[in-house]
Amino acid sequence: GGPPPPPLDLAAVKDLAGVPVPTAAGGSPAGLFTTPLWCGSPDMVSLVPRLTGRFVHPDMMASPSLALLLAHPQFRSELRVSPFSAVQLAAELPYVLPNHLSPASCGNQPTVPWYPGGGVSGAGAPSPSREWLRAFWAEMGSTPPTTLELFAAWPLIPVVGGELVRVGHRAAVIVPPEGVGGGGG
């Protein structure tokens, strides 16, 4: 929905070839047109730390004029910048999360123990932090159920009692009212 984006002067866009843009990794900037890049919120970037060098720095999106340009599909296409998608995030989870949380390692268990705060699991692997899970749900919490199905086999829902529940079982999770059951904040 909404009005179509205004037309672009493609010659002017092509003049941006090679212009350096800061990446989320800091350090060396990436050149427009020369390197495919992603754009995403600070939360999305924090979910995939090994890919930060391929993201346009989220502060670039905070500029109203740049955000408007990067929202233009033809502009993004010409510059080889695309939004990081839920499909890409789902494909990246095996590289981001500890192996004991992988669907294959969880077997048919709907829950797994969770060791928040950078703790180590019984398997000796770090668990996702509260901050990582907050960022995940900030990004994915308002997506359609069909998108959440990409993560159905992953235990990414923290529950009272120190466990993570698979996303596919989200309908069975009850969120207590604020301040009840220790889960309110």
Side-chain angles (χ1 to χ4, degrees), residues 125-173:
S127 289
S129 67
R130 284 180 166 85
E131 181 56 29
W132 192 95
L133 289 169
R134 185 214 54 78
F136 176 82
W137 287 107
E139 284 296 318
M140 296 296 129
S142 61
T143 61
T146 53
T147 301
L148 285 178
E149 284 304 310
L150 295 168
F151 307 98
W154 288 90
L156 300 174
I157 302 172
V159 294
V160 175
E163 293 185 309
L164 293 172
V165 176
R166 288 183 189 230
V167 174
H169 295 286
R170 66 191 175 280
V173 175

Side-chain angles (χ1 to χ4, degrees), residues 48-64:
V48 288
R50 77 183 193 117
L51 301 178
T52 56
R54 302 235 359 242
F55 277 89
V56 171
H57 197 287
D59 288 350
M60 298 286 289
M61 304 300 288
S63 161

